[in-house]
Amino acid sequence: EVQLVESGGGLVQPGGSLRLSCAASGFTFSAYSMNWVRQAPGKGLEWISYISSGGSVMYYADSVKGRFTISRDNAKNSLYLEMNGLRAEDTAVYYCARDLMVGPTDYFDYWGQGTLVTVSS
Amino acid sequence: SYELTQPPSVSVSPGQSASITCSGDKLGDKYACWYQQKPGQSPVLVMYLDTKRPSGIPERFSGSKSGNTATLTISGTQAMDEADYYCQAWDSSTASFVFGTGTRVSVL
């Protein structure tokens, strides 16, 4: 059974840093690209970052570019999101999602349960 | 930046059909997928490649696309289908995934 379990969320002050983790199990982690998606309270879904299966290709949404860094450790079946310079508008539930490429496009076939990040003084 | 526009809400009576649209510039050249999100839960994929239904998704869910508008249709809507629905596409020009604005489906 595919499982994605996020951790590392919490309360952080504006300008602070936080590192999220996503532990994967039930599939060959190293064969799949991965993503981070967030959802602010009462708002819609926002994709924020992608990393290829080997970790060599990364994409970011403009809203987090230069502040957030996605990475992975295939030996540990883990995905990470390093978040720096946090702002109040970064407050959200952060989901990791497995990326499945079918033909010319990708979609997210499995999602974790999410971890809440609150940026507030 | 690329945008996908959905109606904020759709209301449907039990047993009737509900259609949710997703519009975007040149969406006709891309593939859309759809996610269902119930309150307090993670999103679940319900449609991919415009019209493909993942295993385990009921047949009452179907997808279509005409021009730059993708549509998710729920036929014979049930109370359990009450949820938020999001379309998504990949925008190669910005190398980013884009979610639609989301549609709340209410079964009244």
Side-chain angles (χ1 to χ4, degrees), chain A residues 5-27:
Chain A
V5 179
E6 302 92 339
S7 60
L11 176 64
V12 61
Q13 292 189 340
S17 299
L18 211 55
R19 188 195 198 204
L20 305 184
S21 299
C22 172
S25 61
F27 66 101

Side-chain angles (χ1 to χ4, degrees), chain A residues 38-50:
Chain A
R38 69 184 180 184
Q39 186 170 36
K43 302 297 184 182
L45 301 174
E46 180 189 15
W47 170 83
I48 57 172
S49 190
Y50 160 98

Side-chain angles (χ1 to χ4, degrees), chain A residues 17-95:
Chain A
S17 299
L18 211 55
R19 188 195 198 204
L20 305 184
S21 299
C22 172
S25 61
F27 66 101
T28 304
F29 181 70
S30 60
Y32 290 84
S33 300
M34 297 293 295
N35 295 270
W36 286 100
V37 177
R38 69 184 180 184
Q39 186 170 36
K43 302 297 184 182
L45 301 174
E46 180 189 15
W47 170 83
I48 57 172
S49 190
Y50 160 98
I51 188 167
S52 61
S53 57
S56 61
V57 178
M58 293 159 281
Y59 300 126
Y60 297 93
D62 287 343
S63 58
V64 305
K65 202 171 292 181
R67 300 188 299 124
F68 290 11
T69 302
I70 191 171
S71 63
R72 64 190 296 161
D73 185 335
N74 286 343
K76 294 183 177 180
N77 291 338
S78 292
L79 174 72
Y80 305 103
L81 186 68
E82 189 77 39
M83 303 186 295
N84 298 313
L86 284 162
R87 307 165 180 165
E89 54 265 36
D90 295 318
T91 294
V93 173
Y94 286 73
Y95 297 99

Side-chain angles (χ1 to χ4, degrees), chain A residues 35 37 39 43-47 50 59-62 65 95 99 102 104-109 111-114, chain B residues 1 31 33 35 37 40-45 47-49 84 86 88-90 94-101:
Chain A
N35 295 270
V37 177
Q39 186 170 36
K43 302 297 184 182
L45 301 174
E46 180 189 15
W47 170 83
Y50 160 98
Y59 300 126
Y60 297 93
D62 287 343
K65 202 171 292 181
Y95 297 99
D99 186 296
V102 176
T105 192
D106 304 53
Y107 56 88
F108 306 161
D109 62 345
W111 297 62
Q113 86 290 346
Chain B
S1 62
Y31 285 99
C33 61
Y35 300 90
Q37 186 181 33
Q41 298 185 18
S42 302
V44 173
L45 181 76
M47 200 66 56
Y48 66 100
L49 287 176
D84 294 327
Y86 297 90
Q88 181 207 26
W90 165 256
T94 57
S96 62
F97 292 100
V98 179
F99 285 98
T101 49

